[in-house]
Amino acid sequence: MSEQQPEMQPQVSPAEEERKVVVFAVRIDPVLREQIEGLRGITGHSVNDVGVEALNDWVAKTLEDETVQEKAMAELDAEEKRLQERRAAIAGILGSKASEGAASGETVAEATPTSRSGRRKAT
């Protein structure tokens, strides 16, 4: 009887070790499934190994695409604009206290008076 040796697990950092893996299933053509099963048998890779490798390759290729990079930067710019508009709206609601606190480097929580219990006093 031949002994099966456990697959060597790659070294992972403590941060990666804490992340839990999640299931990500895809539907594929039966012919592709047969090809994968055949190659998997030859290479000794698990279906999971094959899927993770394929997805990692896709992500790497997609991240190199200039069109994708441009879209990502446009989304970041749009999000920054929304945040600036929200800050302006909140500052408008809070009035001069928000702008005074921002000028002095205080946060809104620091600029708002609090009672002994730690709750903000009504102004």
Side-chain angles (χ1 to χ4, degrees):
M1 204 182 246
S2 67
E3 251 182 70
Q4 290 184 345
Q5 293 183 353
E7 291 184 37
M8 296 281 291
Q9 296 295 327
Q11 296 293 328
V12 292
S13 70
E16 288 178 325
E17 196 171 289
E18 291 178 15
R19 292 190 311 208
K20 297 190 183 216
V21 295
V22 296
V23 175
F24 185 82
V26 296
R27 297 176 192 271
I28 61 173
D29 183 272
V31 174
L32 178 58
R33 172 68 187 241
E34 288 176 23
Q35 291 173 341
I36 292 169
E37 288 295 335
L39 291 171
R40 206 176 65 72
I42 295 167
T43 63
H45 289 89
S46 69
V47 171
N48 189 70
D49 293 339
V50 172
V52 168
E53 181 179 343
L55 289 169
N56 282 330
D57 289 348
W58 179 81
V59 168
K61 180 185 81 169
T62 302
L63 289 174
E64 291 174 0
D65 185 331
E66 288 183 26
T67 304
V68 171
Q69 292 174 4
E70 290 169 5
K71 286 180 182 179
M73 291 306 297
E75 287 183 20
L76 287 173
D77 291 342
E79 183 66 20
E80 180 63 30
K81 183 180 177 188
R82 283 191 292 274
L83 287 172
Q84 288 173 354
E85 290 170 353
R86 186 166 182 217
R87 281 189 196 103
I90 292 170
I93 292 168
L94 296 176
S96 62
K97 287 188 180 194
S99 57
E100 289 170 8
S104 68
E106 287 183 310
T107 65
V108 173
E110 291 169 339
T112 305
T114 57
S115 68
R116 285 189 169 167
S117 67
R119 294 186 177 185
R120 291 190 183 120
K121 291 182 181 177
T123 54

